[in-house]
Amino acid sequence: MEGELLYKTAFCAEYERLLCVCVQSLDTWKNRREEIANSVLREWEAGDELMRLQEDYAKAYSHLEKHIDNCELCHFVSKISGRNNASVSIAVMDKKHSA
């Protein structure tokens, strides 16, 4: 990850770890997509690689969502903060991309 930006969610270390994996997977997929767009790779090679990277991101995001659904601490913090879990993930990911 660029600059190893760490997220401090201040409540759940596992959520933070899963979120970092998710963001890293998304960044890898996006960066490789840009590299392939500017290269001369054969279409099927590029397509297979991009599908694998997209799958990696989908798995990482799925793990994050499952954690949120099953973690009592994440539910508690979400309720007391008045935010829903999806908006917390999106806000942290947006913060990373705006930095």
Side-chain angles (χ1 to χ4, degrees):
M1 233 167 24
E2 294 178 20
E4 286 299 312
L5 180 62
L6 299 177
Y7 301 100
K8 295 298 178 197
T9 56
F11 55 91
C12 180
E14 181 64 6
Y15 175 86
E16 183 175 338
R17 185 189 72 75
L18 291 169
L19 183 60
C20 286
V21 169
C22 190
V23 170
Q24 185 174 14
S25 296
L26 180 60
D27 285 345
T28 301
W29 177 32
K30 182 188 83 155
N31 292 338
R32 190 63 181 130
R33 226 180 25 227
E34 290 173 7
E35 289 171 7
I36 288 172
N38 298 321
S39 75
V40 292
L41 284 177
R42 284 180 260 175
E43 286 184 32
W44 65 269
E45 290 174 334
D48 288 348
E49 182 179 4
L50 289 176
M51 289 297 287
R52 183 187 56 78
L53 292 172
Q54 182 182 21
E55 184 179 302
D56 290 348
Y57 167 68
K59 285 179 184 177
Y61 191 79
S62 176
H63 286 132
L64 180 66
E65 286 184 321
K66 286 178 185 176
H67 172 79
I68 292 169
D69 290 341
N70 297 317
C71 178
E72 291 181 28
L73 183 57
C74 288
H75 274 288
F76 174 74
V77 171
S78 178
K79 285 180 183 178
I80 64 169
S81 68
R83 294 181 273 182
N84 68 35
N85 294 322
S87 68
V88 172
S89 296
I90 291 168
V92 173
M93 291 173 79
D94 285 346
K95 179 181 175 185
K96 186 262 179 195
H97 289 292
S98 67

